Coordinates of all heavy atoms in Angstrom, one line a residue:
M1 N 0.6 8.2 -12.6 CA 1.4 7.5 -11.6 C 0.4 7.4 -10.4 O -0.2 8.4 -10.0 CB 2.6 8.2 -11.2 CG 3.6 7.5 -10.4 SD 4.3 6.0 -11.0 CE 5.2 6.5 -12.3
R2 N 0.5 6.2 -9.8 CA -0.4 5.9 -8.6 C 0.5 5.8 -7.4 O 1.6 5.5 -7.5 CB -1.2 4.6 -8.8 CG -2.0 4.6 -10.1 CD -3.2 5.5 -10.0 NE -4.2 4.7 -9.2 CZ -5.2 5.2 -8.6 NH1 -5.5 6.5 -8.7 NH2 -6.1 4.5 -7.9
L3 N 0.0 6.1 -6.2 CA 0.8 6.1 -5.0 C 0.0 5.5 -3.8 O -1.2 5.6 -3.7 CB 1.0 7.6 -4.6 CG 1.7 7.9 -3.3 CD1 3.1 7.4 -3.2 CD2 1.6 9.4 -3.0
F4 N 0.8 4.7 -3.1 CA 0.3 4.1 -1.8 C 1.3 4.5 -0.7 O 2.5 4.3 -0.8 CB 0.1 2.6 -1.9 CG -0.2 2.0 -0.5 CD1 -1.4 2.0 0.0 CD2 0.8 1.3 0.2 CE1 -1.7 1.5 1.2 CE2 0.5 0.7 1.4 CZ -0.7 0.9 2.0
E5 N 0.8 5.1 0.4 CA 1.6 5.4 1.6 C 1.1 4.5 2.7 O 0.0 4.6 3.1 CB 1.4 6.9 2.0 CG 2.0 7.8 0.8 CD 1.6 9.2 1.0 OE1 0.4 9.6 1.1 OE2 2.5 10.0 1.2
C6 N 2.1 3.7 3.2 CA 1.7 2.7 4.3 C 1.1 3.4 5.5 O 0.3 2.9 6.2 CB 2.9 1.8 4.6 SG 2.5 0.4 5.7
G7 N 1.7 4.6 5.8 CA 1.2 5.3 7.0 C -0.3 5.6 7.1 O -0.8 5.8 8.1
T8 N -1.0 5.5 5.9 CA -2.4 5.7 5.9 C -3.1 4.4 6.4 O -4.3 4.5 6.8 CB -2.9 6.0 4.5 OG1 -2.7 4.9 3.6 CG2 -2.3 7.3 3.9
L9 N -2.4 3.3 6.5 CA -2.9 2.1 7.0 C -2.2 1.7 8.3 O -2.9 1.2 9.2 CB -2.6 1.0 5.9 CG -3.3 -0.3 6.2 CD1 -4.8 -0.3 6.3 CD2 -3.0 -1.3 5.0
V10 N -0.9 1.9 8.4 CA -0.2 1.6 9.6 C 0.4 2.9 10.2 O 1.5 3.4 9.6 CB 1.0 0.5 9.3 CG1 1.7 0.2 10.6 CG2 0.4 -0.7 8.8
P11 N -0.2 3.5 11.1 CA 0.2 4.8 11.6 C 1.7 4.8 12.0 O 2.2 3.8 12.6 CB -0.6 5.1 12.8 CG -1.9 4.3 12.6 CD -1.4 3.0 11.8
G12 N 2.4 5.8 11.5 CA 3.9 5.9 11.8 C 4.8 5.4 10.8 O 5.9 5.7 10.7
C13 N 4.3 4.4 9.8 CA 5.1 3.8 8.8 C 5.4 4.9 7.7 O 4.4 5.5 7.3 CB 4.4 2.6 8.3 SG 5.6 1.8 7.1
Q14 N 6.6 5.1 7.4 CA 7.0 6.1 6.3 C 7.1 5.4 5.0 O 7.4 6.2 4.0 CB 8.3 6.7 6.7 CG 8.3 7.6 8.0 CD 7.3 8.7 7.9 OE1 7.3 9.4 7.0 NE2 6.4 8.8 8.8
W15 N 6.9 4.1 4.8 CA 7.1 3.5 3.5 C 6.1 3.9 2.6 O 4.9 4.1 2.9 CB 7.1 1.9 3.8 CG 7.3 1.1 2.5 CD1 8.6 0.8 2.0 CD2 6.4 0.6 1.6 NE1 8.5 0.0 0.9 CE2 7.1 -0.1 0.6 CE3 5.0 0.7 1.6 CZ2 6.4 -0.8 -0.4 CZ3 4.3 0.0 0.5 CH2 5.1 -0.7 -0.5
H16 N 6.4 4.0 1.3 CA 5.5 4.3 0.2 C 6.0 3.7 -1.1 O 7.2 3.3 -1.2 CB 5.3 5.8 0.1 CG 6.5 6.5 -0.3 ND1 7.5 6.9 0.7 CD2 7.1 6.9 -1.5 CE1 8.4 7.5 0.0 NE2 8.3 7.5 -1.2
T17 N 5.1 3.6 -2.0 CA 5.5 3.1 -3.3 C 4.7 3.7 -4.4 O 3.5 4.2 -4.2 CB 5.4 1.5 -3.5 OG1 6.0 1.1 -4.7 CG2 3.9 1.1 -3.3
R18 N 5.3 3.8 -5.6 CA 4.6 4.4 -6.8 C 4.6 3.4 -8.0 O 5.7 2.7 -8.1 CB 5.3 5.7 -7.2 CG 5.2 6.8 -6.3 CD 6.0 8.0 -6.8 NE 5.9 9.1 -5.9 CZ 6.7 9.2 -4.8 NH1 7.5 8.3 -4.4 NH2 6.4 10.3 -4.0
A19 N 3.6 3.4 -8.7 CA 3.6 2.5 -9.9 C 2.5 2.9 -10.8 O 1.6 3.7 -10.4 CB 3.4 1.0 -9.6
D20 N 2.5 2.6 -12.1 CA 1.5 2.9 -13.1 C 0.1 2.2 -12.8 O -0.9 2.6 -13.0 CB 1.9 2.7 -14.4 CG 3.0 3.7 -14.9 OD1 2.9 4.8 -14.4 OD2 3.9 3.3 -15.7
E21 N 0.3 0.9 -12.3 CA -0.8 0.0 -12.1 C -1.1 -0.3 -10.7 O -0.1 -0.5 -9.9 CB -0.6 -1.4 -12.9 CG -0.3 -1.2 -14.3 CD -1.5 -0.8 -15.1 OE1 -2.7 -1.2 -14.7 OE2 -1.3 -0.1 -16.1
D22 N -2.4 -0.2 -10.4 CA -2.8 -0.6 -8.9 C -2.3 -2.0 -8.5 O -1.9 -2.2 -7.4 CB -4.2 -0.4 -8.7 CG -4.7 1.1 -8.7 OD1 -3.9 1.9 -8.9 OD2 -5.9 1.3 -8.4
A23 N -2.4 -2.9 -9.4 CA -2.0 -4.3 -9.1 C -0.5 -4.4 -8.7 O -0.2 -5.2 -7.8 CB -2.3 -5.2 -10.3
E24 N 0.3 -3.6 -9.3 CA 1.7 -3.6 -8.9 C 1.9 -3.0 -7.5 O 2.7 -3.5 -6.7 CB 2.6 -2.8 -9.9 CG 4.0 -2.8 -9.5 CD 4.8 -4.1 -9.5 OE1 4.3 -5.1 -9.9 OE2 5.9 -4.1 -8.9
I25 N 1.2 -2.0 -7.2 CA 1.3 -1.3 -5.9 C 0.7 -2.3 -4.8 O 1.4 -2.4 -3.8 CB 0.4 0.0 -5.8 CG1 1.1 1.0 -6.7 CG2 0.1 0.4 -4.5 CD1 0.4 2.4 -6.8
V26 N -0.4 -3.0 -5.1 CA -0.9 -4.0 -4.2 C 0.2 -5.1 -3.9 O 0.5 -5.5 -2.7 CB -2.2 -4.6 -4.6 CG1 -2.6 -5.8 -3.7 CG2 -3.3 -3.6 -4.6
R27 N 0.8 -5.6 -5.0 CA 1.9 -6.6 -4.8 C 3.0 -6.1 -4.0 O 3.4 -6.8 -3.0 CB 2.4 -7.0 -6.2 CG 3.4 -8.2 -6.1 CD 4.2 -8.4 -7.4 NE 5.1 -7.3 -7.7 CZ 6.3 -7.1 -7.1 NH1 6.7 -7.9 -6.1 NH2 7.0 -6.0 -7.4
R28 N 3.5 -4.9 -4.2 CA 4.5 -4.3 -3.4 C 4.2 -4.1 -1.9 O 4.9 -4.4 -1.0 CB 5.0 -3.0 -4.0 CG 5.7 -3.1 -5.3 CD 6.1 -1.8 -5.8 NE 6.5 -1.8 -7.2 CZ 6.8 -0.7 -8.0 NH1 6.7 0.5 -7.4 NH2 7.2 -0.9 -9.2
A29 N 2.9 -3.6 -1.8 CA 2.4 -3.3 -0.4 C 2.3 -4.6 0.4 O 2.6 -4.7 1.6 CB 1.1 -2.6 -0.5
V30 N 1.8 -5.7 -0.3 CA 1.7 -7.0 0.4 C 3.1 -7.5 0.8 O 3.2 -7.9 2.0 CB 0.9 -8.0 -0.4 CG1 1.0 -9.4 0.1 CG2 -0.6 -7.6 -0.5
D31 N 4.0 -7.4 0.0 CA 5.4 -7.8 0.3 C 5.9 -7.0 1.5 O 6.5 -7.5 2.3 CB 6.3 -7.6 -0.9 CG 6.2 -8.5 -2.0 OD1 5.5 -9.7 -1.8 OD2 6.7 -8.4 -3.1
H32 N 5.6 -5.6 1.4 CA 6.0 -4.8 2.6 C 5.4 -5.1 3.9 O 6.1 -5.2 5.0 CB 5.7 -3.3 2.2 CG 5.9 -2.4 3.4 ND1 7.1 -2.0 3.9 CD2 5.0 -1.8 4.1 CE1 6.9 -1.2 4.9 NE2 5.6 -1.1 5.1
M33 N 4.1 -5.5 3.8 CA 3.4 -6.0 5.0 C 4.0 -7.1 5.6 O 4.1 -7.3 6.9 CB 1.8 -6.2 4.7 CG 1.1 -5.0 4.4 SD 1.0 -3.8 5.9 CE 0.1 -2.5 5.2
R34 N 4.4 -8.1 4.8 CA 5.1 -9.3 5.2 C 6.4 -9.0 5.9 O 6.6 -9.5 6.9 CB 5.2 -10.3 4.1 CG 3.8 -10.9 3.7 CD 4.0 -12.0 2.7 NE 2.7 -12.6 2.4 CZ 2.2 -12.7 1.1 NH1 2.9 -12.3 0.1 NH2 1.0 -13.3 0.9
S35 N 7.2 -8.2 5.1 CA 8.6 -8.1 5.6 C 8.7 -7.0 6.7 O 9.5 -7.3 7.7 CB 9.5 -7.7 4.4 OG 9.1 -6.4 3.9
A36 N 8.0 -5.9 6.7 CA 8.2 -4.9 7.7 C 7.3 -5.0 8.8 O 7.6 -4.6 9.9 CB 8.0 -3.6 7.0
H37 N 6.0 -5.6 8.7 CA 5.1 -5.5 9.7 C 4.7 -6.9 10.2 O 3.8 -7.1 11.0 CB 3.8 -4.8 9.2 CG 4.0 -3.4 8.9 ND1 4.5 -2.4 9.8 CD2 4.0 -2.7 7.7 CE1 4.7 -1.3 9.2 NE2 4.4 -1.4 7.9
G38 N 5.4 -7.9 9.7 CA 5.3 -9.3 10.3 C 3.9 -10.1 9.9 O 3.6 -10.9 10.5
E39 N 3.3 -9.5 8.9 CA 2.0 -10.2 8.4 C 2.4 -11.5 7.8 O 2.9 -11.5 6.7 CB 1.2 -9.2 7.5 CG 0.7 -7.9 8.2 CD -0.3 -8.2 9.2 OE1 -1.1 -9.1 9.1 OE2 -0.5 -7.3 10.1
T40 N 2.0 -12.6 8.4 CA 2.3 -13.9 7.8 C 1.1 -14.3 6.9 O 1.4 -15.0 5.9 CB 2.4 -15.0 8.8 OG1 1.3 -15.1 9.7 CG2 3.7 -14.7 9.7
M41 N 0.0 -13.8 7.1 CA -1.2 -14.0 6.2 C -1.9 -12.8 5.9 O -2.4 -12.2 6.8 CB -2.2 -15.1 6.8 CG -3.2 -15.5 5.9 SD -4.1 -17.0 6.5 CE -5.3 -16.2 7.6
V42 N -1.9 -12.3 4.6 CA -2.6 -11.1 4.2 C -4.0 -11.5 3.8 O -4.1 -12.1 2.8 CB -1.7 -10.4 3.1 CG1 -2.5 -9.2 2.7 CG2 -0.3 -10.1 3.6
R43 N -4.9 -11.1 4.6 CA -6.3 -11.5 4.3 C -6.8 -10.5 3.2 O -6.4 -9.4 2.9 CB -7.1 -11.3 5.6 CG -6.8 -12.4 6.6 CD -7.7 -12.4 7.7 NE -7.5 -13.6 8.5 CZ -6.6 -13.7 9.6 NH1 -5.8 -12.6 9.9 NH2 -6.6 -14.8 10.3
E44 N -8.0 -10.9 2.7 CA -8.7 -10.2 1.6 C -9.0 -8.8 2.1 O -8.9 -7.8 1.3 CB -9.9 -10.9 1.1 CG -10.7 -10.1 0.0 CD -9.9 -10.1 -1.3 OE1 -9.1 -11.0 -1.5 OE2 -10.1 -9.2 -2.1
N45 N -9.4 -8.6 3.3 CA -9.8 -7.3 3.8 C -8.6 -6.4 3.8 O -8.6 -5.2 3.7 CB -10.5 -7.3 5.2 CG -9.6 -7.7 6.3 OD1 -8.7 -8.6 6.2 ND2 -9.9 -7.2 7.5
M46 N -7.4 -6.9 4.1 CA -6.1 -6.1 4.0 C -5.8 -5.6 2.7 O -5.5 -4.5 2.4 CB -4.9 -6.9 4.6 CG -3.6 -6.2 4.5 SD -3.5 -4.8 5.6 CE -3.2 -5.7 7.2
V47 N -6.1 -6.5 1.7 CA -5.9 -6.1 0.2 C -6.9 -5.0 -0.1 O -6.6 -4.0 -0.7 CB -6.1 -7.3 -0.7 CG1 -6.1 -6.9 -2.2 CG2 -5.0 -8.4 -0.4
E48 N -8.1 -5.1 0.3 CA -9.1 -4.1 0.1 C -8.8 -2.8 0.8 O -9.0 -1.7 0.2 CB -10.5 -4.6 0.6 CG -11.1 -5.8 -0.2 CD -11.2 -5.5 -1.7 OE1 -11.5 -4.3 -2.1 OE2 -10.8 -6.3 -2.5
N49 N -8.2 -2.9 1.9 CA -7.7 -1.6 2.6 C -6.6 -0.9 1.9 O -6.6 0.3 1.8 CB -7.3 -1.9 4.1 CG -8.5 -2.1 5.0 OD1 -9.5 -1.6 4.8 ND2 -8.3 -3.0 6.0
I50 N -5.7 -1.7 1.3 CA -4.6 -1.2 0.5 C -5.2 -0.6 -0.7 O -4.8 0.6 -1.0 CB -3.6 -2.3 0.2 CG1 -2.9 -2.8 1.5 CG2 -2.7 -1.8 -0.9 CD1 -2.1 -4.1 1.2
K51 N -6.1 -1.2 -1.4 CA -6.7 -0.7 -2.7 C -7.4 0.6 -2.3 O -7.3 1.6 -3.2 CB -7.6 -1.7 -3.3 CG -7.0 -2.9 -3.9 CD -8.0 -3.8 -4.4 CE -7.5 -5.0 -5.1 NZ -8.5 -6.0 -5.6
A52 N -8.1 0.7 -1.2 CA -8.8 1.9 -0.9 C -8.0 3.1 -0.6 O -8.4 4.2 -0.7 CB -9.7 1.6 0.4
R53 N -6.7 2.9 -0.3 CA -5.7 4.0 0.0 C -4.8 4.3 -1.1 O -4.0 5.2 -1.0 CB -5.0 3.6 1.2 CG -5.9 3.6 2.5 CD -5.3 2.9 3.7 NE -6.0 3.1 4.9 CZ -7.0 2.4 5.2 NH1 -7.5 1.5 4.3 NH2 -7.7 2.7 6.3
I54 N -4.9 3.7 -2.3 CA -4.2 4.0 -3.5 C -4.8 5.3 -4.1 O -6.0 5.3 -4.3 CB -4.1 2.8 -4.5 CG1 -3.4 1.6 -3.9 CG2 -3.4 3.2 -5.8 CD1 -3.5 0.4 -4.7
R55 N -4.0 6.2 -4.5 CA -4.6 7.5 -5.1 C -3.6 7.9 -6.2 O -2.4 7.4 -6.3 CB -4.7 8.5 -4.1 CG -3.4 8.8 -3.3 CD -3.6 9.9 -2.3 NE -2.4 10.1 -1.5 CZ -1.4 10.7 -1.9 NH1 -1.3 11.3 -3.1 NH2 -0.4 11.0 -1.0
A56 N -4.1 8.7 -7.0 CA -3.2 9.4 -8.0 C -2.2 10.2 -7.3 O -2.5 11.0 -6.4 CB -4.2 10.3 -9.0
E57 N -1.0 10.2 -7.8 CA 0.0 10.8 -7.1 C -0.2 12.4 -6.8 O 0.2 12.9 -5.8 CB 1.4 10.6 -7.7 CG 2.6 11.1 -6.9 CD 3.9 10.7 -7.5 OE1 4.0 10.1 -8.6 OE2 4.9 11.0 -6.8
G58 N -0.7 13.0 -7.8 CA -0.9 14.5 -7.7 C -2.0 14.9 -6.8 O -2.2 16.0 -6.5
S59 N -2.8 13.9 -6.2 CA -4.0 14.2 -5.4 C -3.7 14.3 -3.9 O -4.6 14.3 -3.1 CB -5.1 13.2 -5.7 OG -4.7 12.0 -5.2
A60 N -2.4 14.5 -3.5 CA -2.0 14.5 -2.1 C -2.6 15.7 -1.5 O -2.6 16.8 -2.1 CB -0.5 14.5 -2.0
A61 N -3.2 15.5 -0.3 CA -3.7 16.7 0.5 C -2.5 17.5 1.0 O -1.5 16.9 1.6 CB -4.7 16.2 1.5
A62 N -2.6 18.7 1.1 CA -1.5 19.5 1.6 C -1.5 19.3 3.2 O -2.6 19.4 3.8 CB -1.7 21.0 1.3
A63 N -0.4 19.1 3.7 CA -0.3 18.9 5.2 C -0.1 20.2 5.9 O 0.4 21.1 5.4 CB 0.9 17.9 5.5

């Protein structure tokens, strides 16, 4: 299972998503960026930033 936590990109945001495929996580994250953060146009660098922050769910660093 793969994990994306929006707070790694948008400080303070608690939204996160899990999926088996990175492409599904990117799709969900882009939808979230539009609806929650008002992004009307998601540029390629935003997609790359999302992809760079997707990780295996078990690899979370202890806080």
Side-chain angles (χ1 to χ4, degrees):
M1 187 67 61
R2 307 283 285 159
L3 172 68
F4 171 75
E5 295 172 296
C6 189
T8 64
L9 188 60
V10 180
C13 184
Q14 298 297 311
W15 184 87
H16 61 276
T17 189
R18 293 173 179 84
D20 290 326
E21 301 292 327
D22 286 6
E24 178 62 16
I25 290 177
V26 170
R27 185 193 68 74
R28 292 177 188 176
V30 166
D31 285 347
H32 169 73
M33 290 296 180
R34 287 186 177 127
S35 64
H37 300 297
E39 294 291 333
T40 57
M41 187 165 86
V42 178
R43 294 187 167 88
E44 183 65 27
N45 68 329
M46 178 68 75
V47 172
E48 293 304 318
N49 284 329
I50 291 168
K51 288 179 181 179
R53 288 164 172 81
I54 296 172
R55 59 180 171 76
E57 186 170 9
S59 68

